Amino acid sequence: MNGWGTDNALTYIGRGVYQADLSLDAQTDGYLFKIASEDWSTVNFGAMSGDDTAVTLDAERTLAVTDHNLTITVSTTANHRFRLDASDPTAPILVVTDLDMAPYGYGTTQSSIYVRGGFNEWGTASEAHYAGGDVYEAVIPVEVGTYEFKVASEDWATVNLGAGASNTVTIGTAFGDLADGGGNLSISIAEANEYLFTVDASGETPTLWVVPFKPFGATEVFVRGGMNGWGTDNLLVFKGTARYSTHIVLEVGDYEFKVASEDWSTVNLGAAEGAATQVTPGEAYTSLAQGGGNLMITIDTAGTYRFQVDGARNVPPALLVEQTPGS
């Protein structure tokens, strides 16, 4: 795409995230590429496996220090964003998106959208960056208080999302009553923190979530259960945008476990009262609760499994367990 040169520098946009926008021509044979520094040694990220090099549009791809190139196939000539979340610098996550398909357009100042409110003097300091899949994200430090806000473009006309029939946004709860040209939204913040504002424009009506950017804060949290003697061997590593993950090698069998801190009290997430305790690999489990009962998972195929705790749209967070490719 650029002769393996240094024309397309990634720009740091904060909180561990870098991005670069490239115009790519349709190419059925695919483009080979890597994410690397000029010296090819300080940074050199590619595919984790030589048998699985393909990057799919809008899909997360975890990178590794490796000799394997990545590949991407582009079916239409368009502007593309390469977005690298290096919150975990040992295993950064790449997402490539077709910017020309972004819901609010691309290529002009007015196509950018911002979260604008009393917490930032209604200005444009907090851009909601396009993250692919019709989703925009902004991370904003907010002090304790009650604030009015909207999601809008710089001109307040191209995009101006506010309240429909209701205006109260609750931390961790989907707000699906956004309306173009609506009134101000309102949110109450009980704890000063950095908050992740997510706008999903994939549906007929956009949906908004507001959650803590780093749900566990400074607390280390682990997957603890029968697979590791209920100990603290499997630290959940912060991956950015309210998500954590760890990889665990599992043999065939049944395992009880929880998501908990070392003291078993600061964080102690298990099955909510009355909820099913079974976690099915490949399916999101959304019934976690502080102080809940033990979870259960059945492993039918031995291998390495990723345990991902995702708080971007859920408080408490959701849990997803998946076998990693090739394991």
Side-chain angles (χ1 to χ4, degrees):
M1 56 185 67
N2 56 21
W4 295 93
T6 57
D7 291 342
N8 301 112
L10 291 158
T11 300
Y12 185 60
I13 63 172
R15 280 94 178 178
V17 178
Y18 300 76
Q19 65 185 34
D21 295 345
L22 286 72
S23 178
L24 298 180
D25 294 328
Q27 171 61 274
T28 56
D29 293 334
Y31 291 96
L32 295 172
F33 72 101
K34 300 188 81 174
I35 304 294
S37 54
E38 186 174 11
D39 62 6
W40 287 104
S41 58
T42 307
V43 175
N44 189 349
F45 286 107
M48 297 181 71
S49 168
D51 297 327
D52 182 18
T53 65
V55 173
T56 304
L57 288 179
D58 290 329
E60 293 185 351
R61 180 61 191 256
T62 301
L63 307 184
V65 178
T66 171
D67 292 332
H68 302 305
N69 293 330
L70 298 159
T71 60
I72 187 166
T73 300
V74 177
S75 59
T76 59
T77 297
N79 296 293
H80 289 78
R81 173 164 293 169
F82 289 69
R83 187 175 190 268
L84 186 76
D85 191 330
S87 299
D88 176 6
T90 64
I93 296 171
L94 174 69
V95 177
V96 182
T97 61
D98 182 341
L99 288 172
D100 292 349
M101 298 299 292
Y104 301 121
Y106 173 73
T108 67
T109 301
Q110 300 306 335
S111 66
S112 297
I113 64 171
Y114 308 85
V115 180
R116 310 176 65 174
F119 38 69
N120 59 15
E121 299 181 347
W122 294 91
T124 57
S126 305
E127 181 176 354
H129 294 278
Y130 186 57
D134 297 334
V135 170
Y136 293 78
E137 297 173 342
V139 181
I140 307 173
V142 186
E143 298 297 321
V144 173
T146 298
Y147 300 90
E148 293 187 334
F149 72 101
K150 301 185 85 173
V151 177
S153 53
E154 187 174 9
D155 64 1
W156 288 105
T158 308
V159 178
N160 186 352
L161 297 175
S166 61
N167 74 333
T168 302
V169 177
T170 303
I171 299 293
T173 301
F175 183 87
D177 200 19
L178 289 176
D180 190 35
N184 292 342
L185 300 162
S186 177
I187 190 168
S188 294
I189 301 296
E191 179 182 356
N193 207 337
E194 286 191 315
Y195 288 87
L196 172 66
F197 289 68
T198 300
V199 178
D200 186 340
S202 61
E204 186 174 335
T205 302
T207 302
L208 170 71
W209 287 265
V210 183
V211 299
F213 172 63
K214 200 171 184 179
F216 299 142
T219 302
E220 290 189 332
V221 177
F222 310 84
V223 174
R224 309 180 65 174
M227 69 281 289
N228 56 22
W230 296 90
T232 57
D233 291 342
N234 299 114
L235 173 69
L236 284 160
V237 178
F238 183 63
K239 308 297 288 188
T241 56
R243 293 173 305 167
Y244 301 76
S245 70
T246 188
H247 289 78
I248 306 176
V249 177
L250 296 176
E251 300 297 328
V252 172
D254 296 322
Y255 300 88
E256 287 187 282
F257 71 100
K258 300 187 82 173
V259 173
S261 52
E262 187 172 14
D263 62 5
W264 286 106
S265 58
T266 308
V267 177
N268 185 357
L269 295 173
E273 184 176 358
T277 61
Q278 189 73 27
V279 175
T280 302
E283 297 181 11
Y285 182 89
T286 59
S287 297
L288 291 178
Q290 176 71 6
N294 289 347
L295 300 163
M296 174 69 75
I297 189 167
T298 298
I299 300 299
D300 295 323
T301 304
T304 300
Y305 286 79
R306 182 185 68 162
F307 287 67
Q308 177 173 278
V309 177
D310 188 348
R313 304 187 187 188
N314 299 275
V315 176
L319 172 67
L320 178 65
V321 182
E322 294 180 302
Q323 186 173 11
T324 59
S327 71

